[in-house]
Amino acid sequence: MPARGIPTLTTFPYEELDKREEDHWSGATVSDDELRSLALGAFYSARWDAFHDALLLGPERDHPLGDRRELAIDTLTGAWGITDATEAQASMEQLLEGMHAPLYAMVHPLVMASVNASERDRFGERADRHRAFLRQVGSFRGMDNPEALVRDYDIWSQAIKIGFTDHLARPLPSDIHAWDLARVVAVARMAFTAGYLDADVAWGYLARALPLAQRKYKNWRQFGDAYMTGWTYWQACEDLAELKNGGVDRRMELLRLWTRPTSPWRRITLAESTPAK
């Protein structure tokens, strides 16, 4: 029986995490920056039980839906509407520029101002002014549906107020570009595995994603928190009901990446280390 005030020790780091497969490494020869760029998408490597150090989504295994190539094709088609190289590259270009990050950058500060306002103003004039502003921004930018920003504002406000963002680090990150950059790596690897892209083209997109991440985040902790917040924002706006349990599950995956010795985030830093003088 543990002493009072001393928590019971569990396996490293959490029993639930240790039930997942070990991290997979192919032993491929990759440079430090290539490994860093692959590690931007480490969440997906872990979820897919794929190699952390290769473009190809190995190791191969028996699966009722087919081999890795067939799974990559199915995921690209079903989740992204991508059926060829042109569509894959168009999606990655959009992700590099920021697919959800620019929307979050507009909506999130307004939501926090509303959430932190006095009771008298919280559900009144301030929120109405925010909605009017977002409609103007949407119209000015030529959005097909300017009300989409207002919808995101209302949903994100609700998600925060009812506790569906409690799995996130506080204060909430002001930037979620990590969510987009991680998906650049995921799409590039799937498109390469599917046979849509040559290796040089896929590596080229990863090489473009890495410096964007390095300029915005000092380490994997910041990158992971921004990724998690980005997923939460996207999921809330897609289906708020799906967010309740999914957020906790994904947070556990991040803990695994941050803490397990075999994780790519423990093998290499996001930024190149500066030698001490």
Side-chain angles (χ1 to χ4, degrees):
M1 180 176 180
R4 184 176 180 181
I6 305 298
T8 301
L9 295 178
T10 63
T11 53
F12 179 85
Y14 295 106
E15 184 178 358
E16 300 93 322
L17 297 185
D18 287 343
K19 292 178 181 177
R20 288 295 308 274
E21 287 193 21
E22 291 295 322
D23 293 290
H24 293 288
W25 295 87
S26 71
T29 301
V30 292
S31 69
D32 285 351
D33 275 349
E34 286 173 336
L35 182 55
R36 287 187 177 98
S37 64
L38 285 167
L40 297 178
F43 182 92
Y44 298 100
S45 298
R47 270 292 172 101
W48 299 335
D49 296 318
F51 291 131
H52 287 299
D53 57 346
L55 276 178
L56 191 69
L57 293 179
E60 195 62 80
R61 64 189 66 206
D62 291 333
H63 193 284
L65 297 180
D67 60 19
R68 289 280 170 159
R69 179 175 180 271
E70 291 169 322
L71 289 171
I73 291 173
D74 183 68
T75 303
L76 285 171
T77 303
W80 289 86
I82 293 173
T83 59
D84 58 28
T86 300
E87 292 171 347
Q89 290 178 271
S91 292
M92 288 188 290
E93 291 292 344
Q94 189 176 0
L95 289 166
L96 286 169
E97 293 179 5
M99 185 177 289
H100 292 103
L103 303 178
Y104 178 87
M106 285 188 290
V107 169
H108 178 67
L110 299 178
V111 167
M112 295 310 297
S114 178
V115 168
N116 294 326
S118 65
E119 289 292 337
R120 179 182 60 82
D121 185 55
R122 185 175 299 175
F123 304 108
E125 294 180 359
R126 183 187 295 263
D128 288 340
R129 289 197 301 270
H130 290 165
R131 294 184 185 98
F133 170 74
L134 290 171
R135 289 187 184 98
Q136 290 179 336
V137 170
S139 297
F140 178 77
R141 296 194 174 190
M143 295 180 64
D144 293 336
N145 180 17
E147 287 294 322
L149 286 175
V150 175
R151 174 183 173 275
D152 285 7
Y153 173 87
D154 289 335
I155 291 175
W156 191 233
S157 296
Q158 183 182 9
I160 291 173
K161 291 171 185 174
I162 63 180
F164 280 10
T165 64
D166 288 351
H167 58 278
L168 300 176
R170 292 295 192 274
L172 293 175
S174 60
D175 172 273
I176 61 166
H177 203 185
W179 163 241
D180 292 331
L181 297 176
R183 292 183 296 162
V184 172
V185 179
V187 171
R189 295 186 68 186
M190 286 189 291
F192 171 72
T193 302
Y196 297 159
L197 297 179
D198 293 335
D200 288 345
V201 175
W203 279 119
Y205 277 99
L206 269 62
R208 290 171 60 188
L210 179 60
L212 294 176
Q214 290 172 325
R215 284 199 291 268
K216 292 194 173 188
Y217 311 106
K218 294 181 179 180
N219 49 50
W220 293 120
R221 173 69 64 171
Q222 290 184 359
F223 182 87
D225 282 338
Y227 167 86
M228 189 70 205
T229 305
W231 175 83
T232 303
Y233 178 78
W234 167 80
Q235 185 62 73
C237 296
E238 286 288 313
D239 188 342
L240 194 59
E242 289 291 325
L243 179 58
K244 185 175 182 180
N245 296 320
V248 174
D249 179 62
R250 285 186 172 243
R251 184 72 184 181
M252 294 292 279
E253 287 287 0
L254 282 183
L255 287 172
R256 189 176 193 267
L257 287 168
W258 283 326
T259 56
R260 287 183 72 88
T262 55
S263 162
W265 289 2
R266 296 292 300 277
R267 288 202 176 188
I268 197 163
T269 57
L270 174 57
E272 184 176 358
S273 300
T274 303
K277 295 183 179 179

